[in-house]
Amino acid sequence: MVDGYRRSGEDLMDAYQYFYDDRGRQVGYAPVGTMEWDNRDGHEHWHFTDFAQYRLLDAAGKIAIRSGKEAFCLANTDAIDYTVPRANWQPTNSDLHTSCGEQTSLGIRQVLDIGSGDTYAQYLPGQSFDISDLPNGAYMIEITANPDRSLHETDTANNKSLRPVLLGGEPGARTVEVPPVGRIDR
């Protein structure tokens, strides 16, 4: 859970993570960064900054492109795996407009529950890499959650994920193939 509180006269919020004991009582909190207003078409809500980092790596594992996508509105938009321990089968913040606030919001609470995902459609601004100048070949999309370790976690072992991508075609008619991984086929 991350709460944001608006800075006076700015499109910026200070973000805090809250900690609870086994009985649901708050036992602490810590500053974890900021939230910023994203006014691009299709977003138009508050994003928690530095939540994830996306990079396209070449076959040697070197960075080919770093994505500008780093901020998210944390909302339970999709059921991913409700069989994992402590998954919340009935998340309450599944609507972007209630979780992510309006431009005039003074404070908001964003939550991404265990078992849920926050999926952004590929057509929204900021969801892509510019591959026009890259040579054809095999690449990996590297996704790192909490890259600056600003969020407090008991285990960071699952914060990095790699996904193969094959680039082909020719200028003006590029092809992108994303082989299936596990249950994810696109």
Side-chain angles (χ1 to χ4, degrees), residues 84-116:
V84 297
R86 299 185 358 212
N88 181 359
W89 284 55
Q90 297 178 326
T92 57
N93 69 323
S94 57
D95 175 24
L96 291 177
H97 295 289
T98 56
S99 297
C100 304
E102 302 292 332
Q103 189 170 15
T104 57
S105 296
L106 299 177
I108 58 172
R109 172 166 286 169
Q110 295 184 1
V111 178
L112 189 56
D113 284 315
I114 296 171
S116 291

Side-chain angles (χ1 to χ4, degrees), residues 7 10 18 59 81 103 108 110 116 118 131 134 161 164 167-168 180 186:
R7 291 184 185 176
E10 295 185 48
Y18 291 85
D81 187 355
Q103 189 170 15
I108 58 172
Q110 295 184 1
S116 291
D118 180 14
I131 60 169
L134 290 180
S161 174
L167 301 182
R186 294 174 201 236

Side-chain angles (χ1 to χ4, degrees), residues 155-171:
D155 183 4
T156 59
N158 66 347
N159 284 15
K160 193 170 283 194
S161 174
L162 294 169
R163 184 75 191 265
V165 175
L166 304 171
L167 301 182
E170 51 191 66

Side-chain angles (χ1 to χ4, degrees), residues 122-141:
Q122 65 187 12
Y123 58 82
L124 291 173
Q127 312 307 308
S128 61
F129 294 102
D130 182 358
I131 60 169
S132 30
D133 293 331
L134 290 180
N136 291 342
Y139 293 85
M140 296 290 278
I141 295 176

